[in-house]
C-alpha cells in the first residue's frame, strides 16, 4: 500500500503551473471584456486548442490520473482565471461525459472527436437535460423520443433549457423520455448530429454571472436522428426498459438499486464543480489579501485591523477545507471507493457555499472599490452564485447527503 500523502508529484505540479500560466496570461486579461460582451470567447478557446488544453486527449489524460486529482486541478486553475471563460472551455466536456457514460465504443470514437474538432477548426458540444419544468425534478421531463421503425429513426420533440453552448454547438446530446410510465428509468440519451433539421436555438439567457459562457434554450421540433444515434443502442435500451418494467411493481426492490446507481454517477461528477468553486474563491481571496496589504487607512494597512485580518483567515481556512473535500471525493471516485456518506455532494455543497461567502467577503474588504467593475471581485461574486445552483442546488445536495446518512426518503 502506498504511503498517504497530499504532496503533488512532479507531473502534477508541472501541469498545475502550466495551467496557471495560461489562466494568468490568457484567460484573466480577457475576462472583463468577454463578461461585458456576453459572448463566447472564441479567441481564447482557439488559443486553448492550440496549446492542447481544449482537446479530448488532454481531458482523457486527466480523467485517468490514478490519484483522481487531474480534473480538479484543471478546473481550479482555469476557474481561478475566470469562471465564464473557463466554462466556455470545459463546457463541451459535459456532452463528452454523457457519451462516455452511455455510448458504445463506436459511438465514443465517432462523436467525441467531432465535439472538439482540431486547433484549426474548433468545434463545440452541448449537453441538453434540464427543461423549463424539469430541473432537479427529472421525473417531470417532457421531451419525447419516439422510434419510427419504418425508417429506423428516432423523432425528438421538446424544449431544453439552461444549455451550455445550446444552439451554437456542432453536436448536441439530448436526454429524452422514451417510456413515460417508467419515470426517470424511461429516459435515454441521443446524439443530434451537426446540421440536423428541426433543432434550433431558443432564448439566449442574459445572466447575472458567467456571462462569457453561452447559455440558451434548445428547441426540438420533429428532429429525426438515425437509430445509431441512440447512445448505447436499441438492444441495450430495450433490455433496460424491460428490467425497469419488471421492477416497477416491486417498488422498493430492484428499482431502488437503479436509482442508487444513477446517484452514484452524479456523485462522481460533482467534485469537479466543487473544484471550479474553489478556483473562483481562491482568486477573490488573493485579490482581497493583496488589497488589504496595500490599502492604508488611518496611517496603516487595513490588514493590521483584526476585523479584516480575521476575515482573511476565515476565507483561507474555508478555501483549503473545500479543496480537501474535493480532493477526497475525487480520489474516492478514481479508486472506486463507495460514497457511503455522499462525499461527492459534500464536496460540491461546501465548496460552492464557500465560494459565495468568500467572494462576498472580498467585495466587503475592498469596500466601494469592490462594488465597481474596476476590480475583479465584483465579477467573481456574480460568477460564484452559479455554483450553488447548477449540477444540483445546495438544497438538493443536502437532500442527497441526508438521505444517504439516514436511509430515509426525506423530502
Amino acid at each position: 500500500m502506498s504511503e498517504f500523502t497530499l504532496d503533488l508529484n512532479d507531473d502534477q505540479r508541472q501541469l498545475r503551473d502550466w495551467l496557471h500560466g495560461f489562466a494568468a496570461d490568457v484567460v484573466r486579461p480577457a475576462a472583463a471584456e468577454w463578461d461585458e460582451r456576453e459572448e463566447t470567447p472564441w479567441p481564447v478557446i482557439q488559443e486553448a486548442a492550440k496549446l492542447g488544453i481544449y482537446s479530448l486527449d488532454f481531458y482523457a489524460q486527466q480523467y485517468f490520473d490514478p490519484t483522481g486529482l487531474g480534473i480538479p486541478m484543471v478546473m481550479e486553475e482555469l476557474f481561478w482565471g475566470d469562471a465564464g471563460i473557463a466554462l466556455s472551455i470545459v463546457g463541451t466536456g459535459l456532452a463528452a461525459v454523457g457519451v462516455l457514460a452511455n455510448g458504445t465504443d463506436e459511438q465514443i470514437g465517432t462523436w467525441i472527436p467531432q465535439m472538439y474538432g482540431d486547433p484549426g477548426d474548433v468545434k463545440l458540444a452541448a449537453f441538453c437535460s434540464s427543461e423549463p419544468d424539469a430541473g432537479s425534478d427529472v421525473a417531470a421531463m417532457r421531451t419525447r423520443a419516439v422510434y419510427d421503425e419504418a425508417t429506423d429513426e428516432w423523432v425528438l420533440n421538446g424544449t431544453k433549457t439552461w444549455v451550455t453552448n445550446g444552439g451554437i454547438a456542432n453536436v448536441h446530446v439530448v436526454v429524452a423520455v422514451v417510456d413515460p410510465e417508467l419515470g426517470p428509468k424511461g429516459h435515454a440519451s441521443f446524439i443530434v448530429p451537426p446540421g440536423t433539421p428541426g433543432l434550433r436555438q431558443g432564448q439566449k439567457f442574459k445572466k447575472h454571472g458567467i456571462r462569457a459562457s453561452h447559455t440558451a434554450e434548445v428547441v426540438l421540433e420533429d428532429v429525426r436522428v438515425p437509430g445509431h444515434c441512440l447512445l448505447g443502442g436499441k438492444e441495450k435500451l430495450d433490455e433496460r426498459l424491460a428490467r425497469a418494467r419488471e421492477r416497477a411493481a416491486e417498488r422498493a426492490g430492484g428499482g431502488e438499486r437503479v436509482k442508487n446507481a444513477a446517484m452514484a454517477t452524479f456523485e462522481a461528477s460533482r467534485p469537479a464543480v466543487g473544484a471550479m468553486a474553489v478556483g473562483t474563491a481562491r482568486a477573490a481571496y488573493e485579490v482581497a489579501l493583496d488589497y488589504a496589504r496595500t490599502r492604508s487607512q488611518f496611517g496603516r494597512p487595513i490588514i493590521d485591523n483584526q476585523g479584516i485580518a480575521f476575515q482573511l483567515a476565515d476565507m483561507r481556512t474555508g478555501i483549503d477545507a473545500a479543496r480537501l473535500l474535493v480532493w477526497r471525493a475525487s480520489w474516492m471516485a478514481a479508486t472506486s471507493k463507495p460514497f457511503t456518506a455522499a462525499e461527492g455532494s459534500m464536496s460540491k455543497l461546501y465548496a460552492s457555499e464557500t465560494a459565495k461567502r468568500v467572494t462576498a467577503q472580498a467585495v466587503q474588504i475592498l469596500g466601494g472599490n469592490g462594488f465597481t467593475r474596476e476590480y475583479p471581485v465584483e465579477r467573481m461574486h456574480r460568477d460564484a452564485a452559479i455554483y450553488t445552483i447548477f449540477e444540483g442546488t445546495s438544497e438538493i445536495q443536502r437532500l442527497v447527503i441526508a438521505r444517504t446518512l439516514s436511509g430515509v426518503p426525506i423530502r
Side-chain angles (χ1 to χ4, degrees):
M1 180 179 292
S2 61
E3 181 183 355
F4 173 78
T5 178
L6 288 174
D7 287 334
L8 301 178
N9 60 41
D10 289 342
D11 289 342
Q12 289 170 329
R13 284 193 291 270
Q14 290 176 8
L15 170 68
R16 180 196 61 193
D17 295 345
W18 176 56
L19 288 168
H20 186 79
F22 173 78
D25 298 338
V26 181
V27 175
R28 186 164 283 190
E33 174 188 353
W34 293 100
D35 178 74
E36 290 287 344
R37 292 175 63 167
E38 298 190 52
E39 296 174 357
T40 300
W42 284 106
V44 182
I45 298 174
Q46 289 165 345
E47 184 64 21
K50 291 177 183 177
L51 294 174
I53 296 172
Y54 184 80
S55 72
L56 171 61
D57 288 345
F58 175 72
Y59 289 102
Q61 290 174 13
Q62 308 321 313
Y63 181 81
F64 289 110
D65 180 340
T67 69
L69 300 186
I71 291 296
M73 283 198 303
V74 170
M75 297 303 174
E76 180 176 339
E77 295 305 328
L78 291 179
F79 280 74
W80 173 88
D82 177 68
I85 291 177
L87 191 57
S88 289
I89 293 172
V90 306
T92 289
L94 297 173
V97 169
V99 176
L100 282 169
N102 301 296
T104 64
D105 290 343
E106 182 179 357
Q107 289 170 330
I108 292 170
T110 298
W111 293 110
I112 294 184
Q114 294 188 47
M115 294 179 174
Y116 287 93
D118 56 60
D121 186 19
V122 172
K123 306 293 185 183
L124 297 176
F127 183 72
C128 310
S129 179
S130 294
E131 298 183 5
D133 296 318
S136 299
D137 183 10
V138 294
M141 188 177 294
R142 296 180 180 177
T143 297
R144 290 294 308 276
V146 178
Y147 183 60
D148 185 344
E149 190 171 356
T151 60
D152 185 27
E153 292 178 316
W154 288 89
V155 185
L156 280 60
N157 282 282
T159 299
K160 296 295 183 177
T161 194
W162 311 121
V163 181
T164 299
N165 297 334
I168 66 170
N170 303 90
V171 178
H172 291 75
V173 177
V174 178
V175 182
V177 179
V178 295
D179 189 333
E181 295 182 0
L182 294 177
K185 302 180 192 70
H187 296 175
S189 297
F190 300 85
I191 292 284
V192 180
T196 301
L199 184 148
R200 62 180 175 85
Q201 178 183 310
Q203 175 188 6
K204 178 184 175 182
F205 296 103
K206 296 181 71 67
K207 304 188 299 295
H208 175 64
I210 55 168
R211 294 177 177 176
S213 174
H214 175 97
T215 309
E217 291 181 330
V218 172
V219 180
L220 304 122
E221 297 175 332
D222 292 329
V223 174
R224 287 182 168 268
V225 299
H228 62 76
C229 287
L230 165 65
L231 289 180
K234 192 169 188 305
E235 182 177 349
K236 183 178 178 181
L237 173 65
D238 289 341
E239 292 175 356
R240 178 166 61 83
L241 294 178
R243 289 196 302 269
R245 294 184 188 106
E246 291 175 1
R247 289 167 173 163
E250 300 174 18
R251 303 182 66 177
E256 190 67 22
R257 288 193 294 272
V258 172
K259 183 180 72 173
N260 289 341
M263 187 183 76
T265 300
F266 286 121
E267 280 287 279
S269 69
R270 283 169 175 157
V273 181
M276 299 174 188
V278 171
T280 298
R282 190 183 109 211
Y285 159 76
E286 290 175 0
V287 173
L289 178 62
D290 182 66
Y291 186 88
R293 285 170 169 166
T294 56
R295 171 71 167 171
S296 292
Q297 289 286 280
F298 305 106
R300 61 180 184 176
I302 62 174
I303 199 171
D304 285 359
N305 300 302
Q306 284 188 2
I308 300 297
F310 284 9
Q311 282 194 72
L312 289 163
D314 287 343
M315 291 160 74
R316 176 60 185 267
T317 301
I319 292 166
D320 282 10
R323 183 185 295 109
L324 287 172
L325 283 171
V326 167
W327 282 18
R328 179 184 70 167
S330 301
W331 170 78
M332 290 176 69
T335 55
S336 300
K337 299 287 189 296
F339 287 125
T340 56
E343 288 87 351
S345 286
M346 282 186 185
S347 69
K348 197 269 184 184
L349 170 65
Y350 189 80
S352 60
E353 295 287 346
T354 296
K356 285 188 68 174
R357 181 178 65 254
V358 166
T359 54
Q361 288 175 301
V363 170
Q364 189 68 23
I365 289 171
L366 268 69
N369 287 327
F371 200 66
T372 71
R373 296 189 183 181
E374 296 300 313
Y375 288 80
V377 292
E378 178 271 342
R379 183 181 69 253
M380 294 169 184
H381 183 43
R382 286 189 284 108
D383 291 341
I386 194 60
Y387 300 126
T388 61
I389 298 172
F390 71 178
E391 286 285 323
T393 64
S394 289
E395 291 75 19
I396 289 296
Q397 306 308 323
R398 291 186 174 98
L399 186 64
V400 170
I401 296 166
R403 285 177 172 177
T404 304
L405 296 176
S406 68
V408 177
I410 298 167
R411 294 183 178 274

